[in-house]
Amino acid sequence: MTAIKERSTLNHNKTASRLQCPVTYVMNKIGGHWKPIILYQLQNGPKRYSELRRAIPPITEKMLIQHLKQLEADNLVIRKAEPVVPLL
């Protein structure tokens, strides 16, 4: 994979559009295949990791963890660790 020049016009334009266009900003944060699906599953309230895993069967554990971490880093979801196993 080739490196992108930091001072290239294309790189400058991408950076400028991310900062100035709210649609581009949002699409960079929640775009892709899995993030909208994860956010849809969380719209009715908090869920445990295992509940999300069951609600989205085709997603791999690696992808779910990775996207949840990205969403948390972007302050779109809040992670709350529960020390107790839930009652079924």
Side-chain angles (χ1 to χ4, degrees):
M1 190 169 180
T2 60
I4 298 174
K5 294 180 184 176
E6 288 183 30
R7 298 179 68 119
S8 72
T9 303
L10 180 61
N11 192 38
H12 173 72
N13 290 341
K14 284 183 180 179
T15 304
S17 71
R18 270 186 240 133
L19 297 174
Q20 295 174 358
C21 177
V23 174
T24 304
Y25 177 80
V26 169
M27 290 308 296
N28 283 329
K29 298 297 180 187
I30 65 165
H33 181 76
W34 295 114
K35 286 181 185 176
I37 296 170
I38 293 168
L39 291 172
Y40 175 78
Q41 291 297 326
L42 294 172
Q43 75 179 346
N44 292 326
K47 288 189 179 180
R48 293 181 159 275
Y49 174 82
S50 60
E51 291 174 312
L52 280 175
R53 186 78 175 93
R54 277 184 296 229
I56 315 170
I59 193 169
T60 63
E61 286 189 44
K62 178 183 177 183
M63 290 305 291
L64 181 56
I65 291 168
Q66 181 180 353
H67 287 302
L68 284 171
K69 284 181 180 180
Q70 289 172 357
L71 289 168
E72 182 182 13
D74 292 335
N75 294 318
L76 295 173
V77 297
I78 298 171
R79 180 178 183 267
K80 182 180 174 188
E82 295 287 339
V84 180
V85 178
L87 299 173
L88 298 175

